[in-house]
């Protein structure tokens, strides 16, 4: 047996997932929610057959410091994914409070700039509510927030949580660009991408909600914004780095995603079954970080 995605042949006959890339190898029944020692270890949201999210602790972390929120307001869908920064104080609370604040703002008719501002405010309030232990940054989280009307997708983000659009046939389209140390150095002309990735800071992010400001004298890090018109039906995926780390190649990501879509198409809740299967793929590929995905089918 070989994997149809990465072509690995190092597979055990009884396995359901490729041990190299995490891709499903056969049609699978939707995963049942796994028992959890803590309520935050595994979270599931299913608003409708086409809109769902799953957040999971993964295999290595003691706690789940990710969070997701979804909403539907008439003909608009709201998706928010946050990833608390582990070296900061109270990262799980930062992610949860930021996701709830931004989603509530969007659900109340606010725009993406107002949603990010609301998230920044609650994380700053969290920082002011207690003493920060020595050697730790103030509460800090990434965020990616999406507002979807028909095929029109609007996004705002800080950090390295990402958004993708996956159609029925093409490679995945990355809709966000990480606020990473590597991208900053490359954009400034201080290093090539190859040179930057060899540096110890290569895994760092340079903009977040909360935490120390990126630039001296600034109070908050500015978010980035993007708009995208889906050219055909497909799926919007928002995810934390605990998922995209294993699936960053656009062609491979799309093939994995479409395989998961096929395997879950006949579920009573296709989006939830899909999100579960995507999270399981990241766990099978290593699960070194918290894993969160939010998915919306765009028709």
């Amino acid at each position: 047996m070989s994997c149809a995605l990465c072509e690995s042949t190092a597979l055990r006959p009884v396995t359901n997932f490729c041990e190299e890339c995490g891709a499903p190898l056969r049609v699978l029944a939707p995963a049942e929610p796994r028992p959890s020692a803590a309520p935050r270890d595994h979270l599931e949201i299913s608003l409708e057959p086409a809109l769902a999210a799953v957040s999971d602790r993964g295999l290595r972390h003691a706690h789940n410091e990710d969070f997701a929120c979804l909403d539907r307001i008439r003909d608009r869908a709201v998706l928010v994914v946050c990833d608390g920064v582990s070296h900061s104080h109270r990262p799980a609370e930062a992610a949860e409070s930021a996701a709830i604040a931004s989603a509530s703002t969007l659900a109340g008719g606010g725009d993406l700039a107002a949603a990010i501002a609301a998230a920044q405010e609650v994380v700053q309030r969290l920082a002011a509510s207690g003493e920060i232990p020595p050697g730790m940054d103030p509460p800090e989280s990434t965020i990616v927030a999406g507002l979807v009307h028909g095929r029109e997708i609007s996004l705002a983000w800080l950090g390295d949580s990402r958004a993708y659009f996956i159609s029925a046939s093409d490679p995945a389209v990355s809709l966000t660009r990480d606020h990473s140390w590597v991208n900053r150095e490359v954009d400034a002309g201080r290093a090539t991408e190859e040179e930057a990735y060899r540096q110890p800071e290569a895994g760092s992010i340079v903009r977040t909600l909360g935490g120390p400001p990126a630039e001296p004298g600034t109070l908050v890090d500015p978010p980035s914004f993007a708009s995208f018109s889906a050219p055909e039906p497909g799926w919007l995926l928002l995810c934390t780095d605990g998922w995209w780390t294993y699936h960053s190649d656009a062609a491979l990501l799309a093939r994995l995603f479409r395989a998961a879509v096929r395997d879950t198409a006949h579920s009573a809740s296709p989006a939830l079954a899909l999100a579960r299967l995507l999270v399981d793929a990241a766990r099978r590929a290593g699960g070194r970080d918290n894993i969160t995905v939010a998915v919306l089918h765009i028709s």
Side-chain angles (χ1 to χ4, degrees):
M1 178 186 291
S2 63
C3 175
L5 297 189
C6 69
E7 299 182 350
S8 171
T9 58
L11 307 175
R12 291 177 287 125
V14 297
T15 192
N16 287 323
F17 290 83
C18 174
E19 294 174 8
E20 293 296 319
C21 71
L25 299 176
R26 62 194 69 182
V27 175
L28 300 174
E32 292 300 320
R34 58 183 55 80
S36 168
R40 281 286 303 272
D41 280 0
H42 186 86
L43 303 172
E44 298 190 353
I45 312 167
S46 181
L47 288 192
E48 55 195 54
L51 177 59
V54 172
S55 182
D56 190 85
R57 179 174 61 87
L59 302 177
R60 307 285 182 88
H61 278 226
H63 307 286
N64 186 8
E65 295 164 353
D66 288 0
F67 205 79
C69 284
L70 306 175
D71 211 333
R72 171 72 78 174
I73 313 95
R74 295 178 296 278
D75 56 353
R76 298 191 305 164
V78 171
L79 303 88
V80 181
V81 164
C82 291
D83 179 358
V85 177
S86 293
H87 62 253
S88 70
H89 186 46
R90 301 164 70 181
E93 293 173 73
E96 181 172 354
S97 59
I100 292 171
S102 56
S104 297
T105 301
L106 293 171
D111 61 15
L112 284 163
I116 299 296
Q120 287 275 25
E121 182 180 351
V122 297
V123 175
Q124 287 179 320
R125 278 207 307 266
L126 187 64
S129 66
E131 186 175 347
I132 309 298
M136 295 196 81
D137 288 340
E140 191 171 7
S141 177
T142 73
I143 186 170
V144 57
L147 188 61
V148 184
H149 180 203
R151 291 190 183 177
E152 300 302 314
I153 302 169
S154 299
L155 297 160
W157 71 96
L158 280 160
D160 60 356
S161 291
R162 295 183 178 182
Y164 294 91
F165 176 74
I166 301 98
S167 68
S169 57
D170 295 326
V173 179
S174 179
L175 305 181
T176 56
R177 188 167 188 263
D178 297 345
H179 293 133
S180 65
W181 183 88
V182 167
N183 285 342
R184 187 181 69 179
E185 295 303 294
V186 171
D187 291 347
R190 291 188 286 263
T192 65
E193 188 170 295
E194 182 180 356
E195 291 168 343
Y197 272 116
R198 289 200 297 263
Q199 302 307 311
E201 302 90 347
S204 302
I205 51 177
V206 296
R207 290 194 216 172
T208 59
L209 298 165
E215 301 295 335
T218 62
L219 296 177
V220 297
D221 294 336
S224 292
F225 299 92
S227 297
F228 178 76
S229 296
E232 58 182 307
W235 288 86
L236 174 65
L237 165 68
L238 271 58
C239 57
T240 60
D241 63 336
W243 192 85
W244 65 252
T245 292
Y246 299 109
H247 311 107
S248 57
D249 177 81
L252 183 62
L253 186 158
R255 291 168 65 188
L256 168 68
F257 197 95
R258 286 192 286 266
V261 168
R262 289 193 300 271
D263 283 0
T264 56
H266 300 295
S267 168
S269 302
L272 178 58
L274 172 62
R276 288 173 176 171
L277 195 54
L278 294 173
V279 167
D280 278 346
R283 286 172 60 89
R284 299 277 181 159
R288 290 188 296 271
D289 201 351
N290 304 147
I291 307 156
T292 300
V293 300
V295 293
L296 170 68
H297 185 255
I298 295 172
S299 57

